[in-house]
Amino acid sequence: MIGLVDLRRFAVARSLFAPTTLQKAIERLGFVQADPIRAPARAQDLILRHRVRGYQVADLECRYSTLAIEEDYFVNYGFLPNAHVSPPASEDSRRSAGLAYSKTNRGFTRIRS
């Protein structure tokens, strides 16, 4: 049976890694949960601040249009590398859930369905 100390070491070694670029961090994580609630901070900012070199609050949103990522949801809403997205299915599922967004040079623009 694995002990708590070993389990903690295993989890940290696989989820915390040396700071890298925003794109590489999202690719390595595979999915970054997004949350608009800022108490204590938005989930994506908490997740990325220790994993992306020089990350500042809202960097993900500001750089979204330049990254090879998409918004989608699995159980939770978030961001994932383009390689993990099936465009027809994800677009339909986002629209049916009222979660359709469009990439713009300014970041996010809500699309009213």
Side-chain angles (χ1 to χ4, degrees):
M1 185 168 167
I2 190 168
L4 183 58
V5 172
D6 292 328
L7 182 60
R8 182 177 294 124
R9 187 178 308 118
F10 179 85
V12 168
R14 279 147 188 85
S15 65
L16 291 176
F17 42 85
T20 185
T21 67
L22 186 54
Q23 181 70 46
K24 287 179 182 177
I26 293 170
E27 287 172 1
R28 180 155 181 192
L29 292 167
F31 181 83
V32 174
Q33 181 179 338
D35 188 349
I37 299 172
R38 291 184 168 95
R42 294 178 313 169
Q44 62 268 34
D45 294 331
L46 292 173
I47 292 166
L48 295 169
R49 70 184 197 154
H50 295 295
R51 293 170 175 90
V52 177
R53 196 174 306 113
Y55 187 84
Q56 298 292 313
V57 170
D59 275 355
L60 178 58
E61 289 81 3
C62 292
R63 297 182 45 211
Y64 175 73
S65 64
T66 66
L67 298 169
I69 63 171
E70 292 296 331
E71 304 168 76
D72 210 338
Y73 64 95
F74 175 59
V75 174
N76 296 314
Y77 173 72
F79 301 89
L80 60 160
N82 285 346
H84 296 273
V85 178
S86 172
S90 64
E91 182 65 23
D92 290 344
S93 64
R94 285 185 293 216
R95 287 192 187 283
S96 68
L99 294 172
Y101 282 81
S102 171
K103 283 190 173 183
T104 68
N105 289 334
R106 297 186 320 264
F108 298 113
T109 301
R110 180 74 179 194
I111 297 174
R112 302 221 185 261
S113 299

